[in-house]
Amino acid sequence: MEIIMKKLMITLVAMLLMICSAVPCFAESSAEILPEIRMEQQKKEYRTPQGQVCIVTDYTRLIVENADQFPALAKKLEQVHNTEWKYRMEDDARTGFNDAVELKKHRPEDYMHFLLEERIWQKYLDRNILSLYVEFYQNRGGARPDIEISSYNLDTVTGEFITLDDVLAPGKRNEFRGNYVKPALEKIKNDRQLFYYDNYKSIVDELFRLDYAGEPPLTWTWGNEGITMYFSPGILGPAVIGPVEAFVPLKGNETLFNKKFLK
C-alpha cells in the first residue's frame, strides 16, 4: 500500500510539474501579438558643384520588424508610404537641385537651401488598427515653412485602409460631422482665439463629402481616449494659425462608434 501511495504521489507531482511548465507557454500563445513598427529616418544632402548644401531631404521609412506575422501590413506600408515618399522626395529634390545650380550660374554669390522633411508619430496600435499621424514640412526660404498633414489608418492583419465610416457606427457620419466635429472646432476657435474663414463650416462639409467620394481622405487618428480630426494650415483659416485639431472623446459617445474598435 505504501509503495502504491508513493507511486501515486510521484505521478501527481510529475503531472503538476507538466501543468506548471505548460502555463507560460499557453499564456504566451494566447497573448495578443501586435506588429512591431520601427521608424528609420532616410536623410540625404544635395550639394551644388561648388560644394554648398542646397537641398536636404528627410523622410521616415516604416518597417514592420515582425513582418513574417504581419506580411499584408508590411507590404502595404512599403507600397503606400515608403515607395511613394522616396519617389516624392527624390523628385522634389531633383527639381530644387536644378534650380540651385541654375541660380549659381547667374548669381554665384547666392545659394538656395531647401528642407523637405516628413515625420511620423504612432498614435495608436492594437490588433484592429494601426493609426499613424504624418507631418510634412517644406522650407523653401520663405517666412515660415509649409506644413501638410495626413494620416494612415490601417487594419493590422489585412493591411487595408480603415475609413472614417469603418470606425463610426452605421449611419452616424452626418451626426458625427454636425454634432461633434463642428462644435469641437468651435471650441478650439474660442479657446485659442483663432480666426477661421466665415465659411469654415461649409469647408468642413465639403471635406467630408470628398472623403465619402474617396478623394482626398479626411485626416484623423484613433486613440485610447477618442478620435482626433486634423486640418492642415490654410484649410479653415489663414495658414498662420497653424494646424487645427478637433477631438471627439469615446467616453459618453459609445453609440457613435463601431463596437469593434471600442475596448
Side-chain angles (χ1 to χ4, degrees):
M1 185 68 179
E2 184 177 349
I3 295 175
I4 295 176
M5 289 297 294
K6 284 183 178 181
K7 288 184 177 181
L8 181 60
M9 288 297 294
I10 292 172
T11 302
L12 289 173
V13 170
M15 291 177 62
L16 182 61
L17 289 174
M18 290 176 62
I19 293 172
C20 290
S21 62
V23 168
C25 297
F26 176 78
E28 184 178 346
S29 64
S30 63
E32 186 179 64
I33 300 174
L34 299 176
E36 299 169 13
I37 310 297
R38 177 163 60 89
M39 300 182 188
E40 184 180 90
Q41 290 306 123
Q42 304 290 303
K43 189 172 183 178
K44 186 175 181 180
E45 292 183 349
Y46 296 77
R47 295 177 178 269
T48 65
Q50 293 77 19
Q52 292 172 323
V53 176
C54 57
I55 309 288
V56 177
T57 62
D58 191 359
Y59 79 96
T60 308
R61 183 164 177 258
L62 297 169
I63 302 167
V64 182
E65 296 280 27
N66 50 348
D68 57 324
Q69 295 172 298
F70 297 91
L73 178 64
K75 182 179 180 181
K76 192 75 168 185
L77 289 176
E78 183 63 32
Q79 290 175 338
V80 304
H81 180 268
N82 298 344
T83 302
E84 289 293 327
W85 275 95
K86 183 177 185 295
Y87 175 81
R88 177 175 181 177
M89 287 292 188
E90 290 178 348
D91 189 56
D92 284 356
R94 189 181 304 112
T95 301
F97 178 77
N98 293 335
D99 291 343
V101 171
E102 191 65 23
L103 176 68
K104 269 297 183 185
K105 290 180 181 178
H106 303 285
R107 296 164 57 183
E109 72 282 0
D110 294 337
Y111 79 99
M112 296 181 350
H113 187 278
F114 287 179
L115 173 63
L116 307 173
E117 181 182 45
E118 182 235 21
R119 296 285 176 176
I120 297 182
W121 288 265
Q122 181 176 298
K123 293 293 186 176
Y124 189 79
L125 174 63
D126 67 12
R127 190 70 181 181
N128 295 317
I129 182 171
L130 167 65
S131 196
L132 301 169
Y133 169 81
V134 183
E135 284 191 357
F136 177 50
Y137 298 84
Q138 300 182 71
N139 191 334
R140 300 177 181 269
R144 63 179 62 86
D146 294 328
I147 303 175
E148 297 177 25
I149 294 173
S150 59
S151 61
Y152 296 100
N153 297 287
L154 299 168
D155 186 304
T156 57
V157 176
T158 68
E160 294 302 312
F161 280 111
I162 293 174
T163 68
L164 184 63
D165 288 295
D166 291 330
V167 298
L168 294 177
K172 293 293 185 177
R173 167 181 275 261
N174 291 339
E175 180 183 346
F176 177 72
R177 182 191 73 233
N179 297 347
Y180 293 86
V181 175
K182 287 182 180 178
L185 288 172
E186 190 68 21
K187 183 178 186 305
I188 291 294
K189 175 176 180 274
N190 295 330
D191 290 347
R192 291 177 53 191
Q193 298 183 338
L194 300 178
F195 175 80
Y196 289 170
Y197 299 132
D198 291 340
N199 65 333
Y200 88 90
K201 292 182 179 179
S202 297
I203 293 173
V204 172
D205 290 338
E206 179 65 7
L207 291 174
F208 268 76
R209 186 192 68 79
L210 291 172
D211 173 79
Y212 190 71
E215 185 69 30
L218 287 163
T219 300
W220 58 273
T221 57
W222 192 259
N224 285 312
E225 304 294 328
I227 186 172
T228 304
M229 307 289 301
Y230 302 92
F231 301 88
S232 294
I235 299 295
L236 301 180
V240 68
I241 70 175
V244 179
E245 301 178 8
F247 176 73
V248 179
L250 302 179
K251 187 175 182 180
N253 301 314
E254 288 82 3
T255 58
L256 193 63
F257 299 101
N258 185 335
K259 293 181 180 178
K260 173 184 176 180
F261 297 96
L262 298 176
K263 284 192 173 182

